[in-house]
Amino acid sequence: MSKLFSPAEIGPYKLSHRIVMAPLTRMRADPGDIPSELMVEYYTQRTSNGGLIVSEATPVSIRGYGYAGAPGIYSDAQIPGWRRVTNAVHAKGGRIFLQLWHVGRQSHVDLQPNGEAPLAPSAIAAEGHAYTKHGEAPFSMPRALELHEIPGIIEEFRAGAERALRAGFDGVEIHGANGYLPDQFLQDGTNKRTDEYGGPIENRARFLLEVTQAAISVWGADRVGVRISPSGTYGSMSDGNPPATFGYVATQLDRLGIAYLHVVEPRIKGTEEIAHGQAPIAAQHLRPKFSRTLIAAGGFAPHSAEAIVTAGDADLVAFGRHFISNPDLPERLRRGLPLNRYDRSTFYGGDARGYIDYPAAEVASPA
Ligand SMILES: Cc1cc2nc3c(=O)[nH]c(=O)nc-3n(C[C@H](O)[C@H](O)[C@H](O)COP(=O)(O)O)c2cc1C
């Protein structure tokens, strides 16, 4: 019998299967960073009864932006749009957590208020490109946050968590992965601070743990999750001792009692597979340190997803790209049906094409 299709729990919620829709930035919001009707249709299509969706990353402040067209959760004006999304997901029996986002240094002056420098733990630029309204542009040199500014950023996460509650989400996930602000504090390649937010891991983890506690203050620990990418190099990330850094993080998050830890596996660097990827060991490595639900993500195929939950190294498996092109992915996996191929050219931004026009199996291959 398939373990992937056995029931599971996440915080207070019962799930009917173990396939999660991974957070996926698609940049199809309306002006004002308001969730669009297209987004309502997209999430509705990808909802399964008893399944879990993690929303696309959603900035908690204007300074937290790096991708024009991403929907926000920094303003009350964005709540009704999200409410339409959560109502639609609930109507089909699904659950949805909002991913709270601050890109930190992975931004560009054109996206920042008054053209100011993006914010970071330390003034070190990332390699790569931000998505401005005028196209891709190299990440700008960031400015190191002053110590007295940090509580204000944590408050932005708390306020975002509160708006998510008012928008009808089932919980929130802190985006602590892929080289964004909490990850920039965690890893020593990007954090050269000498105050209580830099230096030893106890200090570098402080920002992520305080952000998590802020979300817990709104939601309770059992409806908060955290995503990390211990082996990710996307956004020029590096750390001198990832096992120690992320082992400490997993242990501390377990102490806080959060609902789940979401781990991007080592064979994925950001969003690209390594040509000769190693076995998925990150979730396995962190399993002994985290007692509640563990979600593994990154490069999974149906058989490897089944294998990791059967081995017990993860409780749930999140799929990214396959969910983009297969709105009915859980049903396809359950019935062993072939998968639609995804089109990378429509991943980031655009219109309905490559977004809500991938067919469900009933249409693609009638029984
Ligand atoms: C188009 C695209 C957008 C993504 N956006 C996010 C995001 O908003 N937040 C996040 O944590 N990861 C994001 N990711 C990473 C995915 O959640 C996932 O970890 C990655 O695609 C590997 O899983 P896969 O092999 O199943 O696609 C994105 C990936 C892709 C391809």
Side-chain angles (χ1 to χ4, degrees):
M1 202 205 128
S2 165
K3 181 91 193 267
L4 260 189
F5 289 92
S6 64
E9 286 175 8
I10 196 148
Y13 306 116
K14 303 227 179 308
L15 303 177
S16 63
H17 62 76
R18 293 162 185 261
I19 297 158
V20 176
M21 179 173 161
L24 292 162
T25 291
R26 304 301 308 277
M27 299 155 63
R28 265 107 166 158
D30 281 342
D33 308 326
I34 290 173
S36 60
E37 281 307 315
L38 268 185
M39 288 171 56
V40 176
E41 175 62 20
Y42 166 81
Y43 283 107
T44 305
Q45 288 178 352
R46 284 158 184 76
T47 302
S48 62
N49 192 13
L52 175 66
I53 292 173
V54 182
S55 83
E56 61 206 282
T58 301
V60 296
S61 70
I62 293 187
R63 289 187 184 280
Y65 254 85
Y67 296 71
I73 195 76
Y74 60 82
S75 148
D76 286 358
Q78 291 148 355
I79 294 177
W82 280 121
R83 173 62 80 172
R84 283 194 284 281
V85 172
T86 59
N87 282 347
V89 170
H90 293 152
K92 283 184 79 178
R95 297 286 178 190
I96 180 164
F97 278 48
L98 178 84
Q99 193 183 47
L100 296 170
W101 199 21
H102 194 305
V103 301
R105 69 177 188 162
Q106 287 197 48
S107 187
H108 188 271
V109 289
D110 282 358
L111 290 161
Q112 296 292 316
N114 310 317
E116 289 165 19
L119 304 173
S122 303
I124 306 167
E127 284 169 31
H129 291 83
Y131 288 85
T132 74
K133 292 195 170 64
H134 316 289
E136 292 184 39
F139 293 130
S140 301
M141 174 58 85
R143 166 175 81 75
L145 279 159
E146 304 280 342
L147 183 59
H148 69 83
E149 293 177 291
I150 293 178
I153 310 264
I154 291 163
E155 167 56 21
E156 289 174 351
F157 275 93
R158 192 205 60 76
E162 193 173 271
R163 286 192 198 93
L165 183 66
R166 286 160 57 202
F169 283 92
D170 297 298
V172 288
E173 176 176 291
I174 310 299
H175 197 344
N178 299 348
Y180 298 112
L181 188 59
D183 203 16
Q184 289 160 31
F185 272 93
L186 270 186
Q187 302 201 43
D188 61 17
T190 39
N191 183 344
K192 305 294 181 192
R193 300 181 73 91
T194 53
D195 59 18
E196 65 237 51
Y197 288 90
I201 178 55
E202 293 77 9
N203 286 356
R204 283 181 280 124
R206 193 180 309 281
F207 183 79
L208 173 63
L209 295 174
E210 288 183 355
V211 164
T212 305
Q213 280 167 310
I216 290 173
S217 75
V218 174
W219 282 93
D222 67 345
R223 292 186 292 169
V224 173
V226 174
R227 190 173 221 223
I228 55 173
S229 51
S231 314
T233 54
Y234 178 74
S236 318
M237 296 306 292
S238 67
D239 189 73
N241 190 349
T245 295
F246 290 95
Y248 177 82
V249 168
T251 303
Q252 294 305 313
L253 290 172
D254 195 42
R255 286 214 181 124
L256 291 180
I258 58 166
Y260 71 89
L261 184 62
H262 190 169
V263 180
V264 185
E265 296 285 20
R267 55 189 157 167
I268 286 288
K269 302 277 184 196
T271 62
E272 296 300 323
E273 266 158 81
I274 307 161
H276 301 287
Q278 56 193 96
I281 54 160
Q284 187 182 44
H285 173 84
L286 298 173
R287 173 88 278 182
K289 300 181 190 297
F290 192 79
S291 60
R292 280 170 298 279
T293 303
L294 202 57
I295 308 179
F300 281 97
H303 60 278
S304 51
E306 185 68 45
I308 195 169
V309 296
T310 302
D313 293 332
D315 302 294
L316 309 174
V317 176
F319 285 88
R321 290 163 295 180
H322 288 316
F323 241 121
I324 289 178
S325 53
N326 295 276
D328 55 345
L329 183 66
E331 186 57 17
R332 283 181 191 247
L333 298 190
R334 196 176 64 77
R335 291 163 61 189
L337 298 174
L339 302 182
N340 298 324
R341 295 162 72 110
Y342 45 79
D343 172 9
R344 281 175 196 282
S345 70
T346 52
F347 276 1
Y348 298 102
D351 51 22
R353 202 172 55 85
Y355 190 54
I356 56 168
D357 59 357
Y358 286 106
E362 283 70 23
V363 180
S365 51

